[in-house]
Amino acid sequence: MQEDTHIVIIGNGIAGITAARHIRKRADCRITVISGETDYFFSRTALMYVYMGHMKFEHTQPYENWFWKKNKIELINGWVTGVDFDSKSLSIGENQELYYDKLILATGSTPNKFGWPGQDANGVSGLYSKQDLDYIAEQTKTTKQAVIVGGGLIGVELAEMFHSRGVEVTFLVREKNFWDIVLPEEEAKMINQEIIEHHIDLRLETELKEIETDSQNQVTAVITNSGERIDCQFVGLTVGVSPNVSWLKESGLEINRGIMVNEYLETNIPDVYAIGDCAEHQKPLTGRRPVEQVWYTGRMMGETLARTITEEKTAYKPGVWFNSAKFFNIEYQTYGQVKPQLEAGEEQFVWQSADHKKLLRVVFDEKSMAVLGVNVFGIRMRHEVWDDWIVNQKKINFVMEHLDQANFDPEFYKTHEYDIRDQFNQEFDFMTIKNTKPSLFKRLFA
């Protein structure tokens, strides 16, 4: 790559910044990153801890401010208002223009809104950007009651944030159990209980109908789909996010839900790429989704694209799906494929602790007995171990035998491998004796 090649990246989240860093490691070209959100890259997943007083905002920035100049990465604080792909030019703000040779779109996501009356009132916000955090902090200084709409990961983060400040929280979840579009019933009910034990008023199978306001357009209450009125001074809208692509709809880019990309993260326009939350894969790999809006996929796309842009064309291969989160005091990890309900040809083993604070679910192939995925709650597991077991199709009995190798809990935490193995052996002996499953025991130990 020539030194005078100008690579412009729109977005300074994990995807865009990872691309910039890895391009710089491989080439001496000109790199410019544009963002109107913040001057410098920060960890988006840490925003809740700033609100809760566990850290200051500057602690969310993994690089010192001098890092960017030292690595010759130019930063522009501004919003891109237009793009001309024919002339390879960008409009920034009202009067700034910038030309590129290669353009990387890493514009992230935007919180969903579904046309509720009052959704744009004072005291209504999602939690995605630094601006959202600042707005929530300002609006909730005197808040006594808050309502959160939407049962996802950001919703439970907001619930914990408000709970930490003594705010009464009502949590509206339209599903039968929390996040049951992702979690099997046992896991979803376990999180229900964890939320309730933290004095959150969890309203299942309840939807928002409208948001009431006063004469100053300030939130005063919400009305649910059952007609109930709930007083509040703040409403958190956490009903998912969508790729931030509306400003590109008429640009000539191929857009569906997100910006369509091939396996090399190339769009339909030459020298234009998309990565992170705003990208939609034309042909997602087996076990992967077309749009994957999680931190590590953005990082992996940034690393992959850096190789392609620096003339080592590389296909995006994210490997085994994984994710992690925290529901108040219960940590969650998932590797591989664990659906809310078993699919044809799948079997599972589920262990849960007596206090319902820990759970392990392993899904495996009914014929080959190879593990397909795992959910684990309240016990920390080693990523590389589960990744290896799933990639190499280890049988469920092998996994049970070597389960302690995956344990990542600190030294003085209680371990549960003995109890898990004991239940596993009892269940499989029972299934064999009663002949409720066709020769599972024989296939396990063949």
Side-chain angles (χ1 to χ4, degrees):
M1 175 178 290
Q2 297 179 354
E3 290 187 13
D4 60 353
T5 298
H6 188 197
I7 298 173
V8 174
I9 303 169
I10 304 177
N12 72 344
I14 184 63
I17 290 302
T18 300
R21 288 178 50 246
H22 283 261
I23 291 169
R24 173 56 68 235
K25 289 179 180 180
R26 301 171 60 89
D28 198 31
C29 57
R30 182 185 175 193
I31 302 172
T32 301
V33 178
I34 308 170
S35 173
E37 183 179 8
T38 55
D39 289 331
Y40 304 107
F41 167 60
F42 68 95
S43 175
R44 199 172 301 280
T45 56
L47 287 178
M48 66 179 290
Y49 300 110
V50 176
Y51 182 91
M52 294 166 70
H54 297 175
M55 59 175 63
K56 296 180 179 179
F57 179 72
E58 53 264 34
H59 299 153
T60 70
Q61 298 172 345
Y63 305 104
E64 300 288 351
N65 294 347
W66 50 257
F67 173 89
W68 311 103
K69 184 175 181 179
K70 177 182 177 181
N71 287 276
K72 295 189 295 182
I73 297 174
E74 302 172 32
L75 304 178
I76 295 177
N77 189 327
W79 298 105
V80 177
T81 55
V83 54
D84 186 329
F85 294 120
D86 293 329
S87 64
K88 291 190 171 183
S89 64
L90 304 172
S91 299
I92 305 170
E94 295 182 358
N95 53 19
Q96 187 175 359
E97 194 171 41
L98 187 70
Y99 290 87
Y100 67 86
D101 294 300
K102 295 181 184 293
L103 177 65
I104 300 174
L105 299 168
T107 55
S109 297
T110 184
N112 291 332
K113 292 183 177 180
F114 293 103
W116 297 290
Q119 68 180 19
D120 297 317
N122 299 323
V124 180
S125 179
L127 177 61
Y128 181 80
S129 66
K130 173 61 163 56
Q131 284 80 1
D132 292 337
L133 175 68
D134 293 341
Y135 182 80
I136 293 170
E138 180 63 29
Q139 286 285 320
T140 59
K141 285 180 177 179
T142 59
T143 294
K144 301 298 183 184
Q145 301 155 299
V147 172
I148 298 169
V149 182
L153 298 181
I154 297 177
V156 81
E157 285 184 2
L158 267 181
E160 185 171 356
M161 288 163 57
F162 294 149
H163 175 71
S164 74
R165 294 195 179 187
V167 176
E168 294 181 17
V169 179
T170 303
F171 202 169
L172 308 186
V173 175
R174 70 176 182 176
E175 289 80 22
K176 185 178 179 181
N177 293 293
F178 179 84
W179 214 29
D180 64 8
I181 60 172
V182 174
L183 299 178
E185 186 175 13
E186 289 91 344
E187 287 93 311
K189 287 185 174 179
M190 184 170 69
I191 303 307
N192 289 350
Q193 189 61 34
E194 180 71 6
I195 293 170
I196 292 169
E197 287 179 3
H198 281 82
H199 309 290
I200 306 300
D201 184 5
L202 179 63
R203 307 287 188 92
L204 299 171
E205 298 183 276
T206 305
E207 298 183 46
L208 174 67
K209 182 179 179 182
E210 66 176 286
I211 299 171
E212 288 190 352
T213 61
D214 61 17
S215 57
Q216 281 74 48
N217 198 33
Q218 188 72 36
V219 169
T220 57
V222 301
I223 307 297
T224 71
N225 58 333
S226 66
E228 181 183 7
R229 185 180 186 276
I230 304 173
D231 290 332
C232 60
Q233 299 81 49
F234 189 88
V235 176
L237 294 182
T238 62
V239 287
V241 295
S242 296
N244 180 19
V245 296
S246 60
W247 64 287
L248 292 164
K249 288 287 187 181
E250 306 300 324
S251 68
L253 275 175
E254 183 182 354
I255 293 175
N256 183 34
R257 185 182 169 203
I259 302 167
M260 302 302 295
V261 296
N262 63 15
E263 67 269 36
Y264 301 105
L265 305 169
E266 299 167 322
T267 71
N268 63 306
I269 295 178
D271 296 323
V272 179
Y273 310 83
I275 56 177
D277 287 11
C278 70
E280 179 174 353
H281 301 276
Q282 296 169 355
K283 297 178 181 178
L285 297 173
T286 302
R288 310 297 305 208
R289 303 175 183 88
V291 178
E292 292 185 332
Q293 295 162 319
V294 292
W295 180 90
Y296 82 88
T297 56
R299 175 184 57 79
M300 293 178 73
M301 280 188 255
E303 292 178 3
T304 300
L305 183 57
R307 290 193 288 271
T308 291
I309 276 193
T310 54
E311 300 174 358
E312 183 187 334
K313 198 163 188 177
T314 304
Y316 173 61
K317 295 180 180 179
V320 173
W321 165 259
F322 69 92
N323 201 4
S324 63
K326 187 172 76 71
F327 306 99
F328 284 92
N329 293 331
I330 297 179
E331 294 185 33
Y332 157 68
Q333 293 170 275
T334 186
Y335 302 97
Q337 298 301 309
V338 180
K339 305 291 177 57
Q341 292 86 33
L342 286 180
E343 297 188 344
E346 293 181 345
E347 186 53 79
Q348 65 183 351
F349 166 73
V350 182
W351 170 88
Q352 191 167 21
S353 62
D355 64 0
H356 294 271
K357 297 293 185 181
K358 297 176 175 62
L359 181 146
L360 176 78
R361 179 187 302 272
V362 184
V363 176
F364 54 96
D365 185 89
E366 197 172 30
K367 291 183 178 179
S368 70
M369 315 310 292
V371 292
L372 303 174
V374 62
N375 277 354
V376 58
F377 289 76
I379 305 172
R380 295 177 184 175
M381 292 286 185
R382 296 183 184 276
H383 177 179
E384 68 274 12
V385 173
W386 275 106
D387 189 82
D388 175 72
W389 287 344
I390 294 170
V391 168
N392 291 297
Q393 301 182 332
K394 296 295 185 181
K395 289 185 178 182
I396 180 66
N397 61 306
F398 176 92
V399 168
M400 289 295 110
E401 182 182 353
H402 297 87
L403 193 59
D404 56 319
Q405 295 179 9
N407 193 302
F408 193 56
D409 270 332
E411 180 180 358
F412 298 109
Y413 275 49
K414 182 180 178 181
T415 58
H416 302 275
E417 288 82 8
Y418 179 85
D419 292 340
I420 293 170
R421 289 193 192 102
D422 184 57
Q423 180 181 321
F424 173 78
N425 290 333
Q426 290 183 38
E427 287 189 14
F428 274 83
D429 285 346
F430 174 83
M431 287 192 291
T432 304
I433 294 168
K434 298 298 184 182
N435 198 30
T436 58
K437 295 289 180 182
S439 194
L440 278 173
F441 188 85
K442 291 180 179 179
R443 280 183 280 123
L444 273 170
F445 297 99

